[in-house]
Amino acid sequence: MLLATDRQAVALFRVYVTLAAALISAAVAGAIKANWAVDIWINVGVGLSASGLALACWYCIVAIKTAKVGMPGKGAEFWQWARRDDISEDVALDAYLTQALFAQDTNIEVNRRSSNCLRMAKRLGVGSVALGGIVILIGLSGFASTAWEALSRLL
């Protein structure tokens, strides 16, 4: 499960970084030659999309972050301890199960954190591009320019 999450996070990270870099370049280029009555909405939409993708990249990095996981089995020192004459079979079994339960809880927590971060990265990626597109469409429809003119008259 952890390997699948890591692979998905790395793949999303590559896509998001590429898109964010292209959108940032477009926003900077658009800001330099902006017609502030119309182009500002395009720049705002592109900037929103790029910001959301940058935040999604951060969540991908958190999902990929190295964490300690419990591996099945025990080391030689555990078995040497369990073989001692003063350690009964019940005590050794209890110690084994206690360590296994702790490892299992650790693995579940690492998996939960990674899955939540990956889910958030997916939502931010799609949501930020959709929100940016909506802002651009509102700006291009002319509604935004008439709303801007109305607001300017009020002020």
Side-chain angles (χ1 to χ4, degrees):
M1 186 71 144
L2 292 173
L3 183 59
T5 301
D6 282 355
R7 286 182 179 165
Q8 287 181 23
V10 168
L12 280 177
F13 181 77
R14 288 178 182 157
V15 171
Y16 290 168
V17 165
T18 304
L19 287 175
L23 288 170
I24 289 169
S25 297
V28 169
I32 292 172
K33 297 193 92 171
N35 173 3
W36 292 101
V38 178
D39 292 341
I40 188 66
W41 296 103
I42 295 172
N43 289 339
V44 168
V46 169
L48 280 172
S49 294
S51 300
L53 287 172
L55 188 57
C57 286
W58 182 79
Y59 274 102
C60 287
I61 291 170
V62 173
I64 299 167
K65 183 177 152 187
T66 303
K68 288 185 176 184
V69 294
M71 300 301 288
K74 301 290 172 221
E77 57 279 343
F78 175 83
W79 296 114
Q80 287 174 342
W81 170 82
R83 282 188 47 158
R84 289 188 354 210
D85 291 334
D86 61 329
I87 304 298
S88 70
E89 187 176 315
D90 288 339
V91 171
L93 183 59
D94 285 344
Y96 182 89
L97 293 176
T98 301
Q99 288 179 2
L101 183 61
F102 178 75
Q104 178 183 355
D105 291 344
T106 300
N107 291 350
I108 289 170
E109 179 59 28
V110 168
N111 186 38
R112 185 195 60 75
R113 180 189 52 81
S114 295
S115 296
N116 287 343
C117 288
L118 181 61
R119 184 180 311 112
M120 190 60 148
K122 289 176 181 179
R123 288 178 181 169
L124 277 170
V126 172
S128 64
V129 172
L131 181 62
I134 289 169
V135 169
I136 291 170
L137 288 176
I138 289 172
L140 293 177
S141 71
F143 172 76
S145 62
T146 57
W148 184 261
E149 290 171 5
L151 183 63
S152 298
R153 283 187 216 132
L154 291 174
L155 298 176

